[in-house]
Amino acid sequence: RVVRVPKGPLIRVVGTEVVIPCSVSDYDGPSEQNFDWEFSRETDFVRIVSTWDSTFTSEEYQKRVGHGDIKLRRSSNDAVELVIRNIQPTDQGRYKCSTPSTDATVQGNYDAEVQVKVIADTLSASMAPQVLTRAEGEAVELTCEVSKSTTQHTHLSVGWYRLQGSGEGHAEEVLTLSKDFVLRPGPSYAQRFLVGDVRLNKVGNTTYKLSIGGVEPSDQGQLYCEATEWIEDPDETWKDISRKQTGRTSLAVMSQGRDLSVDIAAAESSLSEGDTLQLNCMVGAQKSSSRHFQVLWLRNGVEMARVDPHGVLIWEDEYEERAKLGQLRAFKHSNTVYILSIYEVGLKDNGTYHCSVSEVKTPGDFHSIQTNLSSGIKVDVKPIERLMRLSVSTSTPQVMAGDALILLCEVQGATSPVSVRWWHLPPQHPGPRVLVATMEQDGTLHLGSAYQDGRTRGSLRLEKGSSGAFTLVIPNTLDESDGGRYGCKVTEWSQGRSWTEEGETAVTVNSMGLGLRATLRSRIATARYGQSFELVCQVSASYTFEEVPVSVGWLFQPSPPTSHYHKLVWVFPNGTVVWGTVQPHFQGKAQLTKAATSFRLHIHNAAAADEGTYQCEVEVWRRKAPLLGQPAATTRSNAVGIKVVLPESKLLVATEERSVEIAGGADTAIECRIVFAQNNSQFAVTWYFLPTSPTDATPLQIVRANYSSILEYGAEFSSPAQKSRFLSQRVSSNVFWLRILSANPGDQGRYYCVVEEWLWLVDGWYKLGEGASGRTTLEFKLPECQLQLERTNRSISAREGEEVTLHCLLQGARQPTTHLSAVWFRGEESSHIRPLLTLHRGGAIEYPQESLAGRLHLRHPTAGDFSLTLRSVEEGDAGVYHCQLQEWQQQSEGEDWVQQALACSGYTQLTTIPPGNT
C-alpha cells in the first residue's frame, strides 16, 4: 500500500481556495478506498474530515466542515482532494492523509504528510471603469495596473477577457501574457493577433496595455483585466495561488449598415387536440443566398430547437424524445424559410412561439454579426371533451422481494360499464407487455398465463370498489423482475362507441442480493500489545437496511494462517449473540456495536493471539420469515490483516570494559549494571565465561537467573562444587553480581552478562529485547615464591585393562606451615580442559566425574608425589593429562588461607593399545 500526497511545502495565499490531493495504490480489498485527513500545527494531530466516518470530525472543525468550507472531493475510487475554502494563517501546518486498511497483509505506508505555508495576499489589479462607444473599425485602448510584493519567487500572468451583454455567462479570452512571458490570444482573436490588430504591451513595471486597431461588432460587451500570481511547487509544477479581476469597461460597437428582418406565420393557429401545427419562419435580407443564418425556435421564450447554417438540427432535451417518436419536426426549407411542425398537438403545446435569426460570418463561427427576433404567435389548443378520466397509482412503489404489490386504477366519469386490463413491462426488457389480469364488463376475471400458478406469487386478486376503483394485489413478488411498469387500460362502451384511457405506474422490487456489499476497514494495521483496535464492517445495498433483518458474523484466521477462517461471533437480527468455540479468548475482550449500516468489532488489550486476518459476513433475511431456512442473500467482506507488535525495548546495559585482579583463594564479584529500562520491566540475567585462550573460544554459560530468579547452570558449571562457588545475585533494582567464591587460577578469563527485558502484557510474559555488558577480565596476583614441578613432557602407552601411572612430582622443599592442593586435568591446552580429580588443601578428594572415582588413585601426596594412577585403562582414556599444584598459607590463627604459589606439570600424552595388539 502506497499513500501519496504532494511534495511540500505548499505555499498558498490567505483567503484563497486550497486543494490538496491524496491517492493510494497497490492495496488489497475493494476498489473504492477511503481517506481520513488530520491537521497539526506543532505535535498533536486534530481530526478534520473522513470519507467514511461521519463522527470523525473533531469539535474544532465541525462548523467549517458542516458549512462546506472544508470538504472532501473524490476524484476517483482511490483518490480524493481536501478542499479548504478561504484558507487562513491558522491553517498553516502539517496535513496528514490516512487510509484505513483493507489489506490482508500489513505492508507499506498507510499515511502521508505535507506541509502547507500560508502567506499574505499582496497581488492587486486595477483599471478605471469606462463606458466606451466606438464605430466599427475604430481603435480602442485599455490600461491595467498590476503589482505584487511577496517575498516568495513568483510569476505573474495578465489577461484581458470579454463578457457578452449584461456580463452573465462564460468570459471569452482576448489576449493573455502568460507566466512564461508568452502572448496567447483567445480562439476568436487568433487571426487578428497574427496580423497585429490585437496587441498587449507592458509599459514599465506595473502597466499592461491592450490595443485593438479596428473594433468589430463581435468585440461589443464588457472588458476586464485579470492578473494571476503563480508559484513553482516542490514537484516542479506551477500553481496559481492568487487571482484578481479589475472592474469592467463597457464597449459598444456601432455596426455599419447591416439589414435583417424576421417574420413568423402559422398555417392554423386555432387548433384542437390531435391537429397538426405548422409554423413558418421567414428571413428577409439582401443577398441572402450568400449569407449564413442560424435559426432558434422558442416557446414562451425558452429554446426548443436550433438549425445551424448547414441545416443541422439540434433539439433541446425536453423535446428530443417527442422528435424521435415523429411528433416534432423542424427543418431548413431554404436559406430564408425555416419550418417547425408539431403533430397531434396537445394542451402542453399551448403558448407563444418565436423564431430568432442570427447572422454569422462563416458557418462554424459562434459569434453573431447581428440577431433579430420575430414577433410572437400565440397557439391555443382546444381540448376534446371526454367523459372518462383515469389515474393509476401504487401504495408500494418500492418493495423487497417477497413483499406484496398493491396497484390502484381509479376510473372517473364513466357512465357505462367498463372492462379493465392490467399489463406488466419488466425493467430493462423492452419486449412485449405481459398480461397480468383482465376484468370484463360483467366482472369476469381472467389471469395471464404467468400469473395462474398461485404457488409462485400467491393468489392474485383483482377487485372492484364501489367508487370505480380497481385494485390489483400481487401477494408475493419473486425478484427484481417483478418490478418495472404496470399499466391499466380501461375501455367504456356506449351507443356503439368506445372510449379507451390508459395509464401506468412504476414500481421497484429490490432483490435481497442487489448491490449487497460489505467492506471491512481498520484505521490501524499494526497494534501494540495492550492497545485497542477497531474493525468497521460497512454494508451497502440498493435498499435501506431498516426494511430487512440483518445478521453479521465476524471471522478470524490466526497468523500464521490455518486452512480456513474461524467463526468468532455471530449477531442475529433479534439481538442474539453466539460466540464461536475455536477462539474463546475473544469473548472477554471484544465489544460489538451497530450504527445504521456500520457494524464494529472493538478488540481491547491486543495480544499475540489477536494477530491475523479478519472478515465480516453479512446475511439478509426476508421480512416475512426471518431466521427460518436460508438467508435471502449473503456477502463476505475483504480480508483485513492486523499485526500485533511488542512495545519497543528501551533497555541499556553498561558496556565499559573492566579488569579485576585478586589473590588466590579470595572471593570476588563481577558487576552487571542496567543503565535504563522501563519501570515495570523484569530481567533475566545470564552470565558467560570466556577462557583467556584461545582468543576465539566459545563463551560458556555459567548460570542464568530468569525473571522469576530461578537459576539454571550451564553444562560446564553444573557440578555441585561449581554451583557452590558461582552465584548470581541481584544487589539493587538495576545491579546484578556474579559472585565467585574461593577463586583459583582456573577461574582466570573474561566474564560478561546478557540481560533480557521481560514485560507482562495482557496474557503472559514477553521478551522485549536484550543487551550484553562489557567484558570484565579476572586476573590472579601471586606472591614471589614459586613451586617447582617437573615440567618434562612425556608420551606413554598402556594396554586396555591394565593400569598406568601419570607422574606429577614436587621438586625442592616447601615450608612446613603451608598446605598443598592439587588438580588433575585432561584436555588440550588450546581448548577447555576438564578436571578429573581435585585434592583440597584439607586432604579431601573430589571427583567431578563420579564415574571415574573407582579408577583414579593419588600415589603419595604427603611425600610430594602427586602422581595419578589410572586403573583398568579404556580406549576413551587416551588423551593429554597434566597436574596443577597450589600452595596455601594462613597468615595467623583464625584468618583465611591465602594462595601463595601455583605450578603446573608438563603434559603426558597417553595412548591406549587394544588387547592382543602387539
Side-chain angles (χ1 to χ4, degrees), residues 281-296:
C281 180
M282 293 154 288
V283 180
Q286 297 179 2
K287 301 179 181 179
S288 59
S289 59
S290 61
R291 293 162 70 172
H292 306 283
F293 304 107
Q294 177 175 271
V295 175
L296 272 65

Side-chain angles (χ1 to χ4, degrees), residues 600-621:
R600 296 172 186 256
L601 174 66
H602 191 95
I603 305 294
H604 298 275
N605 296 322
D610 306 328
E611 181 172 316
T613 52
Y614 293 78
Q615 282 186 308
C616 64
E617 186 169 289
V618 178
E619 298 174 340
V620 292
W621 305 77

Side-chain angles (χ1 to χ4, degrees), residues 396-413:
T396 55
Q398 184 165 329
V399 298
M400 300 304 302
D403 292 345
L405 284 182
I406 302 175
L407 304 161
L408 182 64
C409 183
E410 295 182 279
V411 182
Q412 295 177 338

Side-chain angles (χ1 to χ4, degrees), residues 432-634:
R433 299 172 177 180
V434 177
L435 176 65
V436 179
T438 60
M439 179 177 284
E440 304 297 342
Q441 292 170 280
D442 59 2
T444 304
L445 179 65
H446 301 282
L447 298 180
S449 59
Y451 295 85
Q452 292 176 359
D453 187 354
R455 293 172 298 178
T456 55
R457 295 179 176 85
S459 299
L460 185 144
R461 303 194 306 274
L462 177 55
E463 301 169 348
K464 178 183 178 182
S466 58
S467 60
F470 294 83
T471 303
L472 174 67
V473 179
I474 302 175
N476 184 23
T477 51
L478 294 181
D479 50 36
E480 60 267 29
S481 66
D482 279 346
R485 307 197 68 81
Y486 284 83
C488 174
K489 184 176 181 180
V490 177
T491 304
E492 178 186 12
W493 285 270
S494 177
Q495 299 177 355
R497 296 180 59 194
S498 66
W499 294 265
T500 298
E501 289 289 337
E502 191 168 358
E504 61 182 52
T505 187
V507 298
T508 301
V509 178
N510 290 318
S511 167
M512 292 293 192
L514 182 62
L516 182 63
R517 188 177 70 173
T519 301
L520 187 61
R521 307 182 184 94
S522 171
R523 276 208 168 89
I524 61 173
T526 302
R528 295 186 305 276
Y529 271 71
Q531 183 186 6
S532 296
F533 64 90
E534 187 174 68
L535 295 155
V536 181
C537 182
Q538 192 74 36
V539 186
S540 60
S542 59
Y543 47 88
T544 58
F545 283 92
E546 287 78 2
E547 301 176 4
V548 294
V550 179
S551 60
V552 175
W554 291 93
L555 310 173
F556 173 67
Q557 186 179 58
S559 179
T562 56
S563 57
H564 59 278
Y565 279 81
H566 301 147
K567 285 189 176 182
L568 290 187
V569 62
W570 215 265
V571 183
F572 291 96
N574 59 5
T576 302
V577 178
V578 178
W579 291 91
T581 58
V582 181
Q583 298 286 337
H585 75 279
F586 279 99
Q587 185 168 356
K589 62 190 303 182
Q591 179 181 354
L592 302 164
T593 58
K594 175 184 181 295
T597 58
S598 177
F599 301 85
R600 296 172 186 256
L601 174 66
H602 191 95
I603 305 294
H604 298 275
N605 296 322
D610 306 328
E611 181 172 316
T613 52
Y614 293 78
Q615 282 186 308
C616 64
E617 186 169 289
V618 178
E619 298 174 340
V620 292
W621 305 77
R622 293 186 185 274
R623 285 188 298 181
K624 292 184 178 179
L627 309 185
L628 296 177
Q630 295 296 318
T634 302

Side-chain angles (χ1 to χ4, degrees), residues 6 42 207 219 281 324 332 406 540 560 656 738 789 889:
E42 294 179 356
T207 303
D219 296 327
C281 180
K324 289 180 180 178
K332 178 181 178 179
I406 302 175
S540 60
E656 59 265 22
L738 174 67
L789 274 180
Q889 187 172 23

Side-chain angles (χ1 to χ4, degrees), residues 48 118 134 414 423 460 514 516 572 574 605 610 666 673 679 684 725 756 767 860:
I48 305 176
V118 181
R134 295 286 188 272
W423 53 263
L460 185 144
L514 182 62
L516 182 63
F572 291 96
N574 59 5
N605 296 322
D610 306 328
R673 183 165 50 87
N679 292 333
R725 293 180 55 239
E756 302 169 5
K767 177 181 173 182
H860 301 294

